[in-house]
């Protein structure tokens, strides 16, 4: 049992050393902007604008009767004998 714990701890230490080396290397590299850095906010804003425009068109132009509070407005049909 002791050997398993010691082996696991040594593996964790090795992994943490590799992670520290990788982050140190990444810090020294020049960061270039990717697609999300360049266009992320524009894509988000255009998507939100599209959704609002579709919602506005749907609620004003389609002639749909919106029932905001359906309790009491729906009455059950009578059962018919066949």
């Amino acid at each position: 049992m002791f050997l398993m714990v010691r082996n696991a701890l040594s593996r964790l230490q090795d992994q943490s050393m590799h992670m520290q080396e990788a982050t140190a290397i990444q810090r020294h590299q020049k960061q270039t902007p990717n697609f999300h850095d360049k266009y992320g906010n524009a894509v988000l804003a255009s998507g939100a604008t599209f959704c609002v425009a579709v919602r506005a068109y749907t609620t004003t132009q389609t002639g749909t009767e919106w029932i905001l509070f359906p309790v009491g407005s729906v009455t059950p049909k009578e059962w018919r004998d066949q």
Side-chain angles (χ1 to χ4, degrees):
M1 185 73 173
F2 176 73
L3 293 175
M4 281 181 22
V5 171
R6 187 174 66 178
N7 190 14
L9 287 175
S10 68
R11 286 181 188 245
L12 285 175
Q13 288 174 346
D14 288 344
Q15 287 178 355
S16 67
M17 296 272 285
H18 291 298
M19 288 175 62
Q20 288 174 356
E21 291 172 2
T23 55
I25 290 170
Q26 287 176 356
R27 274 192 229 127
H28 293 295
Q29 291 177 349
K30 184 178 180 182
Q31 295 290 332
T32 58
N34 59 12
F35 178 83
H36 298 288
D37 294 333
K38 289 181 181 178
Y39 308 110
N41 291 336
V43 170
L44 180 65
S46 63
T49 303
F50 175 78
C51 289
V52 168
V54 168
R55 183 70 162 227
Y57 174 79
T58 303
T59 56
T60 59
Q61 300 297 320
T62 58
T64 304
E65 183 178 330
W66 300 96
I67 302 173
L68 298 178
F69 192 69
V71 175
S73 62
V74 178
T75 56
K77 293 182 179 179
E78 295 293 326
W79 289 97
R80 297 182 186 160
D81 294 329
Q82 292 183 358

Coordinates of all heavy atoms in Angstrom, one line a residue:
M1 N 0.8 -1.2 0.0 CA 0.0 0.0 0.0 C 0.9 1.2 0.0 O 0.6 2.2 -0.7 CB -0.9 0.0 1.2 CG -1.9 1.1 1.3 SD -3.1 0.7 0.1 CE -4.3 2.0 0.4
F2 N 1.9 1.2 0.8 CA 2.8 2.4 0.9 C 3.5 2.6 -0.5 O 3.6 3.8 -0.9 CB 3.9 2.1 2.0 CG 4.9 3.2 2.1 CD1 4.6 4.4 2.6 CD2 6.2 3.0 1.6 CE1 5.5 5.4 2.7 CE2 7.1 4.0 1.7 CZ 6.8 5.2 2.2
L3 N 3.8 1.5 -1.2 CA 4.5 1.7 -2.5 C 3.6 2.3 -3.5 O 4.0 3.1 -4.3 CB 5.0 0.3 -3.0 CG 6.1 -0.3 -2.2 CD1 6.4 -1.7 -2.7 CD2 7.4 0.6 -2.2
M4 N 2.3 2.0 -3.4 CA 1.3 2.5 -4.4 C 1.2 4.0 -4.1 O 1.1 4.8 -5.1 CB -0.1 1.8 -4.2 CG -0.1 0.5 -4.9 SD -1.7 -0.3 -4.8 CE -2.9 0.9 -4.5
V5 N 1.1 4.4 -2.9 CA 0.9 5.8 -2.5 C 2.1 6.6 -3.0 O 2.0 7.7 -3.5 CB 0.6 6.0 -1.0 CG1 0.7 7.5 -0.6 CG2 -0.7 5.4 -0.7
R6 N 3.3 6.1 -2.7 CA 4.6 6.8 -3.0 C 4.7 6.9 -4.6 O 5.1 7.9 -5.1 CB 5.8 6.0 -2.5 CG 7.1 6.7 -2.7 CD 8.2 6.1 -2.0 NE 8.4 4.7 -2.7 CZ 9.4 3.9 -2.4 NH1 10.2 4.2 -1.3 NH2 9.5 2.8 -3.0
N7 N 4.3 5.9 -5.3 CA 4.3 5.9 -6.8 C 3.3 6.9 -7.3 O 3.6 7.7 -8.2 CB 4.0 4.5 -7.3 CG 4.2 4.4 -8.8 OD1 4.9 5.3 -9.4 ND2 3.7 3.3 -9.4
A8 N 2.1 7.0 -6.7 CA 1.1 8.0 -7.2 C 1.6 9.4 -6.9 O 1.4 10.3 -7.7 CB -0.2 7.7 -6.5
L9 N 2.2 9.6 -5.7 CA 2.7 11.0 -5.4 C 3.8 11.4 -6.4 O 3.9 12.5 -6.8 CB 3.2 11.0 -4.0 CG 2.1 11.0 -2.9 CD1 2.7 11.0 -1.5 CD2 1.2 12.2 -3.1
S10 N 4.7 10.4 -6.7 CA 5.8 10.8 -7.6 C 5.3 11.1 -9.0 O 5.7 12.0 -9.7 CB 6.8 9.7 -7.7 OG 6.3 8.5 -8.3
R11 N 4.2 10.4 -9.4 CA 3.6 10.7 -10.7 C 2.9 12.0 -10.7 O 3.0 12.8 -11.7 CB 2.6 9.6 -11.1 CG 3.3 8.3 -11.5 CD 2.2 7.3 -11.9 NE 2.8 6.0 -12.2 CZ 2.8 5.4 -13.3 NH1 2.2 6.0 -14.4 NH2 3.4 4.2 -13.5
L12 N 2.3 12.4 -9.6 CA 1.7 13.7 -9.5 C 2.7 14.8 -9.6 O 2.5 15.8 -10.2 CB 0.8 13.8 -8.3 CG -0.5 13.1 -8.3 CD1 -1.2 13.2 -6.9 CD2 -1.4 13.6 -9.3
Q13 N 3.8 14.6 -8.9 CA 4.9 15.6 -8.9 C 5.5 15.7 -10.3 O 5.7 16.9 -10.8 CB 6.0 15.2 -7.9 CG 5.6 15.4 -6.5 CD 6.6 14.9 -5.5 OE1 7.5 14.2 -5.9 NE2 6.5 15.3 -4.3
D14 N 5.6 14.6 -11.0 CA 6.1 14.7 -12.4 C 5.2 15.4 -13.3 O 5.6 16.3 -14.1 CB 6.4 13.3 -13.0 CG 7.6 12.6 -12.3 OD1 8.4 13.3 -11.7 OD2 7.6 11.3 -12.5
Q15 N 3.9 15.2 -13.1 CA 2.9 15.8 -14.0 C 2.9 17.3 -13.7 O 2.7 18.2 -14.6 CB 1.5 15.2 -13.7 CG 1.3 13.9 -14.4 CD -0.1 13.3 -14.1 OE1 -0.8 13.9 -13.3 NE2 -0.3 12.1 -14.7
S16 N 3.0 17.7 -12.4 CA 3.0 19.1 -12.1 C 4.2 19.8 -12.6 O 4.1 21.0 -13.0 CB 2.8 19.3 -10.5 OG 4.0 18.8 -9.9
M17 N 5.3 19.1 -12.6 CA 6.5 19.7 -13.2 C 6.3 20.0 -14.7 O 6.7 21.0 -15.2 CB 7.7 18.8 -13.0 CG 8.1 18.6 -11.5 SD 9.2 19.8 -10.9 CE 10.7 19.3 -11.6
H18 N 5.7 19.0 -15.4 CA 5.5 19.2 -16.8 C 4.5 20.3 -17.1 O 4.7 21.1 -18.0 CB 5.0 17.9 -17.4 CG 6.0 16.8 -17.5 ND1 7.2 16.9 -18.2 CD2 6.0 15.6 -16.9 CE1 7.9 15.8 -18.1 NE2 7.2 15.0 -17.3
M19 N 3.5 20.4 -16.3 CA 2.5 21.5 -16.4 C 3.2 22.9 -16.2 O 2.9 23.8 -16.9 CB 1.4 21.3 -15.5 CG 0.5 20.2 -15.9 SD -0.9 19.8 -14.7 CE -1.8 21.3 -14.8
Q20 N 4.1 23.0 -15.2 CA 4.7 24.2 -14.9 C 5.7 24.6 -16.1 O 5.7 25.8 -16.5 CB 5.6 24.1 -13.6 CG 4.7 24.1 -12.4 CD 5.5 23.8 -11.1 OE1 6.7 23.6 -11.2 NE2 4.9 23.8 -10.0
E21 N 6.3 23.6 -16.7 CA 7.2 23.9 -17.8 C 6.4 24.3 -19.0 O 6.8 25.3 -19.7 CB 8.0 22.6 -18.2 CG 9.0 22.3 -17.2 CD 9.7 20.9 -17.5 OE1 9.3 20.3 -18.5 OE2 10.5 20.5 -16.7
A22 N 5.2 23.7 -19.2 CA 4.4 24.1 -20.4 C 3.8 25.5 -20.2 O 3.8 26.3 -21.2 CB 3.2 23.1 -20.5
T23 N 3.4 25.9 -19.0 CA 2.9 27.2 -18.8 C 4.0 28.2 -18.9 O 3.8 29.3 -19.4 CB 2.2 27.3 -17.4 OG1 3.1 26.9 -16.4 CG2 0.9 26.5 -17.4
A24 N 5.2 27.9 -18.5 CA 6.3 28.8 -18.6 C 6.6 29.0 -20.1 O 6.9 30.2 -20.5 CB 7.6 28.3 -17.9
I25 N 6.6 28.0 -20.9 CA 6.8 28.1 -22.3 C 5.7 29.0 -23.0 O 6.0 29.8 -23.8 CB 6.9 26.7 -23.0 CG1 8.2 26.0 -22.5 CG2 6.9 26.8 -24.5 CD1 8.3 24.6 -22.9
Q26 N 4.5 28.8 -22.6 CA 3.4 29.5 -23.2 C 3.5 31.0 -22.8 O 3.1 31.8 -23.6 CB 2.1 28.9 -22.7 CG 1.7 27.6 -23.4 CD 0.4 27.0 -22.8 OE1 -0.2 27.6 -21.9 NE2 0.0 25.9 -23.4
R27 N 4.0 31.3 -21.6 CA 4.1 32.7 -21.2 C 5.1 33.5 -22.1 O 4.9 34.7 -22.4 CB 4.5 32.8 -19.8 CG 3.4 32.8 -18.8 CD 3.8 33.2 -17.4 NE 3.3 32.2 -16.5 CZ 4.0 31.5 -15.6 NH1 5.3 31.7 -15.5 NH2 3.4 30.6 -14.9
H28 N 6.1 32.8 -22.6 CA 7.1 33.4 -23.3 C 6.8 33.5 -24.8 O 7.5 34.2 -25.6 CB 8.5 32.7 -23.1 CG 9.0 32.9 -21.7 ND1 9.4 34.1 -21.2 CD2 9.2 32.0 -20.7 CE1 9.7 33.9 -19.9 NE2 9.6 32.6 -19.6
Q29 N 5.8 32.8 -25.3 CA 5.4 32.8 -26.7 C 4.5 34.1 -26.9 O 3.8 34.5 -26.1 CB 4.7 31.6 -27.1 CG 5.6 30.4 -27.1 CD 4.8 29.1 -27.5 OE1 3.6 29.1 -27.5 NE2 5.5 28.0 -27.7
K30 N 4.6 34.6 -28.1 CA 3.8 35.7 -28.5 C 2.4 35.2 -28.8 O 2.2 34.3 -29.6 CB 4.4 36.4 -29.8 CG 3.6 37.6 -30.1 CD 4.3 38.3 -31.3 CE 3.5 39.6 -31.7 NZ 4.0 40.2 -32.9
Q31 N 1.4 35.9 -28.1 CA 0.0 35.5 -28.3 C -0.6 36.2 -29.5 O -0.6 37.4 -29.5 CB -0.8 35.8 -27.0 CG -0.3 35.0 -25.8 CD -0.7 33.6 -25.9 OE1 -1.7 33.2 -26.5 NE2 0.1 32.7 -25.3
T32 N -1.0 35.4 -30.5 CA -1.7 36.1 -31.6 C -3.2 35.9 -31.4 O -3.7 34.9 -30.9 CB -1.3 35.4 -32.9 OG1 -1.6 34.0 -32.8 CG2 0.2 35.5 -33.2
P33 N -4.0 36.9 -31.8 CA -5.4 36.8 -31.6 C -6.0 35.8 -32.5 O -5.7 35.7 -33.6 CB -6.0 38.2 -31.9 CG -4.9 38.8 -32.7 CD -3.6 38.2 -32.3
N34 N -7.0 35.0 -31.9 CA -7.6 34.0 -32.7 C -9.0 34.5 -33.2 O -9.3 35.7 -33.0 CB -7.8 32.6 -32.0 CG -8.6 32.8 -30.7 OD1 -9.2 33.8 -30.5 ND2 -8.5 31.8 -29.9
F35 N -9.8 33.6 -33.8 CA -11.1 34.1 -34.4 C -12.0 34.7 -33.3 O -12.6 35.7 -33.5 CB -11.8 32.9 -35.0 CG -13.1 33.2 -35.6 CD1 -13.3 33.8 -36.8 CD2 -14.3 32.9 -34.8 CE1 -14.5 34.1 -37.3 CE2 -15.5 33.2 -35.3 CZ -15.7 33.8 -36.5
H36 N -12.0 34.0 -32.1 CA -12.9 34.5 -31.1 C -12.4 35.9 -30.5 O -13.2 36.7 -30.2 CB -12.9 33.5 -29.9 CG -13.5 32.2 -30.4 ND1 -14.8 32.0 -30.7 CD2 -12.9 31.0 -30.6 CE1 -15.0 30.8 -31.1 NE2 -13.9 30.1 -31.0
D37 N -11.1 36.1 -30.5 CA -10.6 37.4 -30.0 C -11.0 38.5 -31.0 O -11.3 39.6 -30.7 CB -9.1 37.3 -29.8 CG -8.7 36.4 -28.7 OD1 -9.5 36.2 -27.8 OD2 -7.6 35.9 -28.8
K38 N -10.9 38.2 -32.3 CA -11.1 39.2 -33.4 C -12.6 39.4 -33.5 O -13.1 40.6 -33.6 CB -10.6 38.7 -34.7 CG -9.1 38.7 -34.8 CD -8.7 38.3 -36.2 CE -7.2 38.2 -36.3 NZ -6.8 37.7 -37.7
Y39 N -13.4 38.4 -33.6 CA -14.8 38.5 -34.1 C -15.9 38.1 -33.0 O -17.0 38.1 -33.3 CB -15.1 37.7 -35.3 CG -14.1 38.0 -36.4 CD1 -13.1 37.1 -36.8 CD2 -14.1 39.3 -37.1 CE1 -12.2 37.4 -37.8 CE2 -13.2 39.6 -38.1 CZ -12.2 38.6 -38.4 OH -11.3 38.9 -39.4
G40 N -15.4 37.7 -31.8 CA -16.4 37.2 -30.9 C -17.5 38.1 -30.5 O -18.7 37.7 -30.5
N41 N -17.2 39.3 -30.2 CA -18.2 40.3 -29.8 C -19.1 40.6 -30.9 O -20.3 40.8 -30.7 CB -17.6 41.5 -29.2 CG -16.9 41.3 -27.8 OD1 -17.3 40.3 -27.1 ND2 -15.9 42.1 -27.5
A42 N -18.6 40.7 -32.1 CA -19.4 41.1 -33.3 C -20.4 39.9 -33.6 O -21.6 40.2 -33.9 CB -18.5 41.3 -34.5
V43 N -19.9 38.7 -33.5 CA -20.8 37.6 -33.7 C -21.9 37.5 -32.7 O -23.1 37.2 -33.0 CB -20.0 36.2 -33.8 CG1 -20.9 35.0 -33.8 CG2 -19.1 36.2 -35.0
L44 N -21.5 37.7 -31.4 CA -22.5 37.7 -30.3 C -23.6 38.8 -30.5 O -24.8 38.6 -30.4 CB -21.8 37.9 -29.0 CG -22.7 37.9 -27.8 CD1 -23.3 36.6 -27.6 CD2 -21.9 38.3 -26.5
A45 N -23.1 40.0 -30.9 CA -24.0 41.1 -31.1 C -25.0 40.9 -32.3 O -26.2 41.2 -32.2 CB -23.3 42.4 -31.3
S46 N -24.4 40.4 -33.4 CA -25.3 40.1 -34.5 C -26.3 39.0 -34.3 O -27.4 39.1 -34.7 CB -24.4 39.8 -35.8 OG -23.7 38.6 -35.6
G47 N -25.9 38.0 -33.5 CA -26.8 36.9 -33.2 C -27.9 37.4 -32.3 O -29.1 37.1 -32.5
A48 N -27.6 38.3 -31.3 CA -28.6 38.8 -30.5 C -29.5 39.7 -31.2 O -30.8 39.7 -31.0 CB -27.9 39.6 -29.3
T49 N -29.0 40.5 -32.1 CA -29.8 41.4 -33.0 C -30.8 40.6 -33.8 O -32.0 40.9 -34.0 CB -28.9 42.3 -33.8 OG1 -28.1 43.0 -33.0 CG2 -29.8 43.3 -34.7
F50 N -30.3 39.5 -34.4 CA -31.1 38.7 -35.3 C -32.3 38.1 -34.4 O -33.4 38.1 -34.9 CB -30.3 37.6 -35.9 CG -31.1 36.5 -36.7 CD1 -31.5 36.9 -37.9 CD2 -31.4 35.3 -36.1 CE1 -32.3 35.9 -38.6 CE2 -32.1 34.4 -36.8 CZ -32.6 34.7 -38.1
C51 N -32.0 37.6 -33.2 CA -33.0 37.0 -32.4 C -34.1 38.0 -32.0 O -35.3 37.7 -32.0 CB -32.4 36.3 -31.2 SG -31.4 34.9 -31.5
V52 N -33.6 39.2 -31.7 CA -34.6 40.2 -31.3 C -35.4 40.6 -32.5 O -36.7 40.8 -32.4 CB -33.8 41.4 -30.7 CG1 -34.8 42.6 -30.6 CG2 -33.2 41.1 -29.4
A53 N -34.8 40.7 -33.7 CA -35.6 41.1 -34.9 C -36.6 40.0 -35.2 O -37.8 40.3 -35.6 CB -34.6 41.3 -36.1
V54 N -36.2 38.7 -35.2 CA -37.2 37.7 -35.5 C -38.3 37.6 -34.4 O -39.5 37.5 -34.8 CB -36.5 36.3 -35.5 CG1 -37.4 35.1 -35.5 CG2 -35.6 36.2 -36.7
R55 N -38.0 37.9 -33.2 CA -39.0 37.9 -32.1 C -40.0 39.0 -32.3 O -41.2 38.9 -32.2 CB -38.3 38.0 -30.8 CG -39.2 37.9 -29.6 CD -39.8 36.6 -29.4 NE -40.4 36.4 -28.1 CZ -40.2 35.4 -27.3 NH1 -39.4 34.4 -27.8 NH2 -40.7 35.3 -26.2
A56 N -39.4 40.2 -32.7 CA -40.3 41.4 -32.9 C -41.2 41.1 -34.1 O -42.4 41.5 -34.1 CB -39.4 42.6 -33.2
Y57 N -40.7 40.6 -35.2 CA -41.5 40.3 -36.4 C -42.6 39.3 -36.0 O -43.8 39.4 -36.4 CB -40.6 39.7 -37.5 CG -41.5 39.3 -38.7 CD1 -42.0 40.2 -39.6 CD2 -41.8 37.9 -38.9 CE1 -42.7 39.8 -40.7 CE2 -42.5 37.5 -39.9 CZ -43.0 38.4 -40.8 OH -43.8 38.0 -41.9
T58 N -42.2 38.2 -35.3 CA -43.2 37.2 -34.9 C -44.3 37.8 -34.1 O -45.5 37.4 -34.3 CB -42.5 36.1 -34.2 OG1 -41.4 35.6 -35.0 CG2 -43.4 34.9 -33.9
T59 N -44.0 38.6 -33.1 CA -45.0 39.1 -32.2 C -45.9 40.2 -32.9 O -47.0 40.4 -32.4 CB -44.4 39.6 -30.9 OG1 -43.5 40.6 -31.3 CG2 -43.8 38.5 -30.2
T60 N -45.4 40.9 -33.9 CA -46.2 42.0 -34.4 C -46.9 41.7 -35.8 O -47.9 42.2 -36.1 CB -45.3 43.2 -34.6 OG1 -44.2 42.9 -35.5 CG2 -44.8 43.7 -33.3
Q61 N -46.3 40.8 -36.6 CA -46.8 40.7 -38.0 C -47.5 39.4 -38.3 O -48.1 39.3 -39.3 CB -45.6 40.8 -38.9 CG -44.8 42.1 -38.8 CD -45.7 43.3 -39.2 OE1 -46.5 43.2 -40.1 NE2 -45.6 44.4 -38.4
T62 N -47.4 38.4 -37.5 CA -47.9 37.1 -37.9 C -49.4 36.9 -37.6 O -50.0 36.0 -38.1 CB -47.2 35.9 -37.3 OG1 -47.2 36.1 -35.9 CG2 -45.7 35.9 -37.7
G63 N -50.0 37.8 -36.8 CA -51.4 37.7 -36.5 C -51.7 36.6 -35.5 O -52.9 36.2 -35.4
T64 N -50.7 36.1 -34.9 CA -51.0 35.1 -33.9 C -51.6 35.7 -32.6 O -51.2 36.8 -32.2 CB -49.6 34.4 -33.4 OG1 -49.0 33.9 -34.6 CG2 -49.9 33.3 -32.5
E65 N -52.7 35.1 -32.1 CA -53.3 35.6 -30.9 C -52.6 34.9 -29.7 O -52.6 33.7 -29.5 CB -54.8 35.1 -30.9 CG -55.5 35.7 -29.7 CD -57.0 35.3 -29.8 OE1 -57.5 35.1 -30.9 OE2 -57.6 35.1 -28.7
W66 N -51.9 35.8 -29.0 CA -51.1 35.3 -27.9 C -52.0 35.3 -26.6 O -52.6 36.3 -26.2 CB -50.0 36.3 -27.6 CG -49.1 36.3 -28.8 CD1 -49.1 37.2 -29.8 CD2 -48.0 35.4 -29.1 NE1 -48.1 37.0 -30.7 CE2 -47.5 35.8 -30.3 CE3 -47.5 34.2 -28.5 CZ2 -46.4 35.1 -30.9 CZ3 -46.5 33.6 -29.1 CH2 -46.0 34.0 -30.3
I67 N -52.1 34.1 -26.0 CA -52.8 34.0 -24.8 C -51.8 33.9 -23.6 O -51.1 32.9 -23.4 CB -53.7 32.7 -24.8 CG1 -54.6 32.7 -26.0 CG2 -54.4 32.5 -23.5 CD1 -55.4 31.4 -26.2
L68 N -51.7 35.0 -23.0 CA -50.7 35.1 -21.9 C -51.1 34.4 -20.7 O -50.2 33.9 -19.9 CB -50.4 36.6 -21.6 CG -49.8 37.4 -22.8 CD1 -49.6 38.8 -22.4 CD2 -48.5 36.8 -23.3
F69 N -52.4 34.3 -20.4 CA -52.8 33.7 -19.2 C -54.0 32.7 -19.6 O -55.1 33.1 -19.6 CB -53.3 34.7 -18.2 CG -53.6 34.1 -16.8 CD1 -52.5 33.7 -16.0 CD2 -54.9 34.0 -16.3 CE1 -52.7 33.2 -14.8 CE2 -55.1 33.5 -15.0 CZ -54.0 33.1 -14.3
P70 N -53.6 31.5 -19.9 CA -54.6 30.5 -20.5 C -55.6 30.0 -19.5 O -56.6 29.3 -19.9 CB -53.8 29.4 -21.0 CG -52.5 29.4 -20.2 CD -52.3 30.8 -19.8
V71 N -55.5 30.2 -18.2 CA -56.4 29.6 -17.2 C -57.8 30.3 -17.4 O -57.9 31.5 -17.4 CB -55.9 29.8 -15.8 CG1 -56.9 29.3 -14.8 CG2 -54.6 29.1 -15.6
G72 N -58.8 29.5 -17.6 CA -60.1 30.0 -17.8 C -60.5 30.2 -19.2 O -61.7 30.4 -19.6
S73 N -59.5 30.4 -20.1 CA -59.9 30.7 -21.5 C -60.0 29.4 -22.3 O -60.6 29.5 -23.4 CB -58.8 31.6 -22.1 OG -57.5 30.9 -22.2
V74 N -59.6 28.3 -21.8 CA -59.8 27.1 -22.5 C -60.9 26.3 -21.9 O -60.8 26.0 -20.7 CB -58.5 26.2 -22.5 CG1 -58.7 24.9 -23.2 CG2 -57.4 27.0 -23.2
T75 N -61.9 25.9 -22.6 CA -63.0 25.2 -22.0 C -63.0 23.8 -22.7 O -62.8 23.6 -23.9 CB -64.4 25.8 -22.3 OG1 -64.5 26.0 -23.7 CG2 -64.5 27.2 -21.6
P76 N -63.2 22.8 -21.9 CA -63.2 21.4 -22.4 C -64.5 21.1 -23.3 O -65.6 21.7 -23.0 CB -63.2 20.5 -21.2 CG -63.8 21.4 -20.1 CD -63.4 22.8 -20.4
K77 N -64.3 20.3 -24.3 CA -65.5 19.9 -25.1 C -66.3 18.8 -24.4 O -65.7 18.1 -23.6 CB -65.0 19.4 -26.5 CG -64.3 20.4 -27.3 CD -63.9 19.8 -28.6 CE -63.2 20.8 -29.5 NZ -62.8 20.2 -30.8
E78 N -67.5 18.8 -24.7 CA -68.4 17.8 -24.1 C -68.1 16.4 -24.8 O -67.8 16.3 -26.0 CB -69.9 18.1 -24.3 CG -70.3 19.4 -23.6 CD -70.3 19.2 -22.1 OE1 -70.5 18.1 -21.6 OE2 -69.9 20.2 -21.4
W79 N -68.2 15.4 -24.0 CA -68.0 14.0 -24.5 C -69.2 13.7 -25.4 O -70.3 14.0 -25.1 CB -67.9 13.0 -23.4 CG -66.6 13.1 -22.6 CD1 -66.4 13.8 -21.5 CD2 -65.4 12.6 -23.0 NE1 -65.2 13.7 -21.1 CE2 -64.5 12.9 -22.0 CE3 -65.0 11.8 -24.0 CZ2 -63.1 12.5 -22.0 CZ3 -63.7 11.4 -24.1 CH2 -62.7 11.8 -23.1
R80 N -68.9 13.1 -26.6 CA -69.9 12.7 -27.5 C -70.1 11.2 -27.5 O -69.1 10.4 -27.5 CB -69.6 13.1 -28.9 CG -69.5 14.6 -29.0 CD -69.2 15.0 -30.5 NE -68.9 16.4 -30.5 CZ -68.3 17.0 -31.5 NH1 -67.8 16.3 -32.5 NH2 -68.1 18.3 -31.5
D81 N -71.3 10.7 -27.4 CA -71.6 9.3 -27.5 C -71.6 8.9 -29.0 O -72.2 9.5 -29.8 CB -73.0 9.0 -26.9 CG -73.0 9.3 -25.4 OD1 -71.9 9.1 -24.8 OD2 -74.0 9.7 -24.9
Q82 N -70.9 7.8 -29.2 CA -70.8 7.3 -30.6 C -71.7 6.1 -30.8 O -71.9 5.3 -30.0 CB -69.4 6.9 -31.0 CG -68.6 8.2 -31.0 CD -67.1 7.8 -31.5 OE1 -66.8 6.7 -31.7 NE2 -66.3 8.9 -31.6

